[in-house]
Amino acid sequence: MAYGGYVSSYGGSNDAGPSSNPYGHAPQPQQQGPPSSVPDIPGIRADPEAETFLRRHVSNLTGTFGSRFPGAQPVSFTKRSLDMLLHQDFWVCEKSDGQRVLVFVVANGATGHQEVYLIDRKNTYKLQRNLFFPHSDPQYYVKDSAPEEQKRATFMRQMKDGLPLYNGWPGCKDTLLDGELVWDVEKKTGRRRLRLLLFDALVVDGVNMSMRPLTKRYGRLHNTIYKPFADYMSKNPMAVAEAPFEVKIKHMDLAYGIDAVIQRMPLLEHGNDGLIFTGMHSGYTFGTDSKIIKWKPPSENSIDFVLRLRFPPDPRVPGGTVPDLRAKPFFVLEEYMGDQGSGKMREANYEPFDWLYLDDEEWEDMKRSGLQFDDRIVECVWQAGRGPPNPSDPSAPRPPGWRIHRIRDDKQDGNHYSIIRKIIGSIEDGVEEDEVIAAAAQIRSQWKSQEREKLRRAIEQGGAGIVTAEGRVVGGPAGQDASQGYSGGSKRGRPPPMRVGPAKVMRL
């Protein structure tokens, strides 16, 4: 396939263990002041025409529709999730505090070059210079000592299949990977290294892997993508020095290794704020995926809102229609209700959800920061003592309320109202760290049971699953399971209504 000249495998072992990077990426210079733990995405954004084509190309490869970020989104962990871990096979890893990206590798038919893009949550594409992913198939390689006839035949095969070439290396194409861009900070020096942690392969050389189980996709990521990449980097020191970031594979553990993962987290060089459980036999869902479960301590579960600043009327101006921009505003958190229209006609709909309370000192700090907060997406956590004080008794304990954790410029919209209800359910029906760790022994026992071994054999043979002792059918082909419809939380209905606020406030 071609876009403006763009042209549109090798099966490795399913066994993939912990990864290590055989080369050392040149560290980023140490920055002054308190740097953000979430990196900006490097690279050059594709022009609008190319970006539109790239989005369509990804949609064709993945079988998806629309212009939204196609990556899978997790659901929040509740007590019901513990039951899923007991009766189904999951992998677990730490939840990195970084920038979620998809990696798109494509061949440019006009230039014959491979191009690598990072796709952010806003579904924008940024071209990465000095990054090359070689092909894994031996049929595209030939030794220098080979006869000229064999070299010509190999070259013609590369050309016939539309492979991009770089310094004699055949490159892969039409490949889509999932990962996280993080800042790794060296413990001794404090220097930061930009690293890309890959954890899934969605499309490999034009083959849609989304219906295959995680075990197959993760194995393909190791053997078809990372091994040839690491080999290329080890033989090209200049490529190491010029690469925009280091590439590694994120390590996965079996679900009952929860305690080991938690104990390793303080030793990691990048920030982390929880755990991710992923269904071992599940396919990849483009959108919200009930088989990817995000665990955080209930007090740290967060929701992404749009923050609106609304100012009271200026008392000096009759009519009450002019906002007083010198006054302290009211802070409204709005939830995303969906879109009207599409493309250039797209309009995101928001409705008020709750008030955010800031005391006078926090408001002064906000002004001194020089940042724009109005109409920004903010990640908020629900905390005790963050609500407004009691006017009749300022010394009384303050009620719970929202606190801004960070600004989320990486997201196009806040959380959808349906997701917000599930997160609220996770806050109300949350599972503490000691409960998760305590469940590990029972998860391990169930994992090693004869019934579970029978289930795995049935899945490997492409069967329709088995009936558990509880009378439930589980397993079956990737992407299918009796737990479909699981929403990530046992609570239903709308959360408490928005707290009563002032009658006359004006949006800036």
Side-chain angles (χ1 to χ4, degrees), residues 20-26 130-133 193-196 198 226-237 239-249:
S20 61
N21 202 308
Y23 57 91
H25 185 270
N130 304 315
L131 193 62
F132 179 76
F133 286 91
R193 295 172 183 265
L194 192 59
R195 285 186 172 132
L196 174 65
L198 297 173
Y226 187 74
K227 283 186 177 179
F229 175 80
D231 181 50
Y232 168 78
M233 297 299 277
S234 68
K235 296 175 181 177
N236 292 272
V240 175
E242 296 174 350
F245 42 74
E246 187 177 350
V247 180
K248 301 181 75 173
I249 302 291

Side-chain angles (χ1 to χ4, degrees), residues 110-262:
T111 64
H113 296 160
Q114 182 190 84
E115 293 184 350
V116 179
Y117 292 88
L118 292 188
I119 309 172
D120 65 15
R121 287 176 181 265
K122 296 179 180 179
N123 210 24
T124 59
Y125 288 65
K126 284 194 174 182
L127 177 65
Q128 305 301 306
R129 301 292 189 190
N130 304 315
L131 193 62
F132 179 76
F133 286 91
H135 208 284
S136 64
D137 197 329
Q139 70 169 322
Y140 298 120
Y141 291 84
V142 62
K143 294 182 178 180
D144 291 338
S145 58
E148 289 301 317
E149 183 177 343
Q150 184 179 349
K151 291 181 180 180
R152 283 195 298 271
T154 302
F155 177 74
M156 293 304 296
R157 189 179 302 115
Q158 295 168 344
M159 293 297 98
K160 176 179 176 293
D161 293 342
L163 297 190
L165 300 177
Y166 183 71
N167 289 341
W169 288 74
C172 64
K173 61 174 184 175
D174 290 347
T175 294
L176 188 65
L177 312 173
D178 206 343
E180 189 101 10
L181 200 63
V182 300
W183 280 119
D184 272 7
V185 181
E186 294 180 357
K187 301 290 186 182
K188 293 183 178 180
T189 65
R191 289 183 300 175
R192 303 200 299 174
R193 295 172 183 265
L194 192 59
R195 285 186 172 132
L196 174 65
L197 306 179
L198 297 173
F199 50 77
D200 212 332
L202 318 185
V203 181
V204 177
D205 284 314
V207 177
N208 189 336
M209 304 284 294
S210 64
M211 291 302 292
R212 304 186 188 185
L214 176 62
T215 49
K216 301 281 187 181
R217 303 194 310 270
Y218 194 69
R220 188 65 66 92
L221 176 65
H222 264 273
N223 296 292
T224 306
I225 304 298
Y226 187 74
K227 283 186 177 179
F229 175 80
D231 181 50
Y232 168 78
M233 297 299 277
S234 68
K235 296 175 181 177
N236 292 272
M238 283 301 297
V240 175
E242 296 174 350
F245 42 74
E246 187 177 350
V247 180
K248 301 181 75 173
I249 302 291
K250 195 169 191 178
H251 178 67
M252 302 281 182
D253 283 88
L254 302 181
Y256 57 78
I258 297 168
D259 194 24
V261 176
I262 291 177

Side-chain angles (χ1 to χ4, degrees), residues 74-141:
V75 297
S76 295
F77 201 100
T78 65
K79 287 182 170 58
R80 185 175 178 182
S81 304
L82 287 175
D83 185 64
M84 292 183 70
L85 298 183
L86 288 174
H87 295 96
Q88 300 177 40
D89 292 344
F90 278 80
W91 284 355
V92 62
C93 65
E94 49 90 14
K95 180 180 177 296
S96 303
D97 188 14
Q99 182 92 270
R100 171 78 179 284
V101 293
L102 297 181
V103 183
F104 186 40
V105 184
V106 66
N108 187 319
T111 64
H113 296 160
Q114 182 190 84
E115 293 184 350
V116 179
Y117 292 88
L118 292 188
I119 309 172
D120 65 15
R121 287 176 181 265
K122 296 179 180 179
N123 210 24
T124 59
Y125 288 65
K126 284 194 174 182
L127 177 65
Q128 305 301 306
R129 301 292 189 190
N130 304 315
L131 193 62
F132 179 76
F133 286 91
H135 208 284
S136 64
D137 197 329
Q139 70 169 322
Y140 298 120
Y141 291 84

Side-chain angles (χ1 to χ4, degrees), residues 252-306:
M252 302 281 182
D253 283 88
L254 302 181
Y256 57 78
I258 297 168
D259 194 24
V261 176
I262 291 177
Q263 290 188 25
R264 282 200 304 268
M265 286 166 61
L267 305 177
L268 297 173
E269 294 184 332
H270 55 265
N272 43 79
D273 58 357
L275 301 172
I276 295 289
F277 296 89
T278 308
M280 181 173 150
H281 308 297
S282 303
Y284 188 95
T285 299
F286 299 99
T288 302
D289 189 347
S290 64
K291 292 300 185 67
I292 304 178
I293 311 174
K294 172 182 64 177
W295 174 85
K296 288 183 178 182
S299 61
E300 297 178 18
N301 272 302
S302 59
I303 297 177
D304 297 330
F305 298 105
V306 163

